[in-house]
């Protein structure tokens, strides 16, 4: 089993752009947020360029590529338009996600089992350009199996169902994540996870030993309203580190 000691934190800055776009103009600037995230201990910056450009813009991606030293993880749908943008900027990583115009956020994982023919050429062309390809999938053995067959080196497990559930249902969703992470590792895939994570839900996911990276956005940006981005990232980082080190009580910190 691969034991990943240092759990990386990718800070997703999409919703800084959501607030900016509520009024147009340039404030608050997601690139400034990315700089602050780097200072607060983020290991990477994640941004989702959506087809409808509802938050992150093409110019944001250009500036993030040019001005930020941390690795950029570009989330995108598998379309030719997005592929060309990724090939132009060559981010460190691309995470392929499902996208529906009418959804508020990425609602479920990519169904790689149903779409493997469509996805294969994207994985190949991005990987061929030296970009690390990750597939955002539900924690299911079938999806993992197909992700491996597609040749993607990384999977990101969707934690939304776990975060939204309570009590026994949350435990069951956590178990699915634990089993999926172990199976992905057996297949030789690097495992990331994310979506919906917050202070009270991050601990058990961060404690899953095969997970190498968490990508967290909405909660960090929301929490920044009350205590600042620096403080929200540092607290998340501390909770992740405590959980990874096996310190109990991470959820109540
Ligand atoms: N990972 C992926 C692949 C995502 O699409 C998102 C949302 O854009 C996240 C992580 C972060 O989710 P949240 O903003 O809920 O923390």
């Amino acid at each position: 089993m691969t034991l990943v000691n240092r759990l990386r934190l990718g800070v997703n800055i999409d919703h800084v752009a959501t607030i900016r776009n509520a009024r147009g103009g340039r404030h608050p600037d997601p690139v400034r947020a990315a700089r602050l995230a780097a200072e607060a201990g983020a290991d990477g910056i994640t941004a989702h360029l959506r087809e409808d450009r509802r938050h992150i813009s093409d110019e944001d991606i250009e500036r993030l590529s040019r001005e930020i030293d941390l690795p950029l993880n570009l989330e995108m749908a598998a379309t030719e338009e997005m592929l060309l943008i990724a090939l132009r900027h060559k981010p460190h990583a691309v995470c392929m996600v499902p996208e529906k115009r009418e959804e508020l956020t990425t609602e479920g994982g990519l169904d790689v089992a149903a779409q493997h023919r469509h996805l294969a050429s994207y994985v190949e062309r991005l990987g061929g350009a030296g970009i690390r390809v990750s597939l955002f999938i539900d924690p299911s053995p079938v999806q993992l199996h197909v992700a491996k067959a597609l040749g993607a080196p990384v999977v990101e497990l969707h934690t939304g169902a776990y975060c939204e559930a309570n009590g026994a249902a949350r435990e069951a969703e956590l178990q699915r994540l634990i089993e999926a992470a172990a199976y992905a590792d057996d297949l030789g895939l690097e495992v990331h996870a994310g979506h919906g994570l917050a202070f009270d839900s991050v601990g058990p996911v961060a404690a899953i030993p095969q997970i190498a990276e968490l990508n967290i956005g909405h909660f960090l940006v929301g929490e920044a309203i009350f205590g600042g981005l620096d403080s929200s990232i540092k607290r998340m980082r501390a909770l992740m580190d405590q959980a990874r080190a096996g310190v109990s009580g991470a959820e109540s910190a």
Side-chain angles (χ1 to χ4, degrees):
M1 178 179 82
T2 311
L3 275 174
V4 185
N5 285 324
R6 162 84 184 169
L7 177 59
R8 296 194 302 268
L9 171 60
V11 172
N12 181 316
I13 50 159
D14 291 351
H15 297 298
V16 177
T18 301
I19 299 171
R20 173 195 61 193
N21 295 358
R23 284 288 174 95
R26 305 193 75 79
H27 182 78
D29 177 11
V31 179
R32 181 176 167 199
R35 237 178 255 121
L36 240 160
E39 284 163 21
D43 300 287
I45 298 300
T46 295
H48 184 175
L49 185 66
R50 293 187 77 105
E51 192 190 0
D52 61 9
R53 308 303 198 268
R54 69 176 69 161
H55 38 54
I56 292 293
S57 68
D58 296 67
E59 190 193 345
D60 292 331
I61 295 297
E62 201 177 303
R63 289 182 57 221
L64 288 167
S65 307
R66 213 176 43 230
E67 297 177 29
I68 301 298
D69 291 332
L70 287 182
L72 175 64
N73 174 32
L74 172 65
E75 293 178 357
M76 56 170 245
T79 66
E80 288 301 313
E81 182 201 11
M82 290 299 153
L83 179 80
L84 289 177
I85 292 169
L87 293 178
R88 190 161 68 242
H89 293 296
K90 296 231 171 65
H92 167 76
V94 157
C95 181
M96 296 221 275
V97 300
E99 208 175 287
K100 290 190 228 119
R101 258 178 198 273
E102 64 276 16
E103 70 190 357
L104 284 178
T105 181
T106 314
E107 279 166 0
L110 198 56
D111 189 350
V112 294
Q115 295 176 43
H116 64 101
R117 274 178 209 280
H118 175 69
L119 293 170
S121 82
Y122 288 90
V123 174
E124 196 184 319
R125 286 180 284 172
L126 290 163
I131 299 168
R132 204 157 165 75
V133 181
S134 155
L135 298 172
F136 187 45
I137 56 173
D138 288 333
S140 119
V142 175
Q143 299 295 335
L144 286 165
H145 183 76
V146 178
K148 175 68 183 177
L150 280 168
V154 183
V155 287
E156 180 161 332
L157 302 177
H158 198 304
T159 52
Y162 156 77
C163 292
E164 282 162 23
N166 291 303
R170 182 178 269 203
E171 275 311 306
E173 289 298 337
L174 178 62
Q175 201 51 41
R176 283 182 74 204
L177 289 165
I178 290 170
E179 285 166 17
Y183 183 51
D185 185 57
D186 286 346
L187 292 171
L189 293 162
E190 182 172 310
V191 192
H192 300 176
H195 206 279
L197 291 168
F199 291 154
D200 68 353
S201 54
V202 74
V205 177
I208 299 173
Q210 298 89 355
I211 293 182
E213 178 175 308
L214 297 181
N215 284 298
I216 310 180
H218 183 267
F219 179 83
L220 289 174
V221 173
E223 195 61 21
I225 291 168
F226 306 108
L229 192 57
D230 178 78
S231 155
S232 73
I233 292 172
K234 284 186 174 153
R235 185 159 173 213
M236 188 63 83
R237 175 82 263 168
L239 290 169
M240 287 166 54
D241 291 344
Q242 282 169 31
R244 184 50 62 103
V247 177
S248 60
E251 283 162 277
S252 60

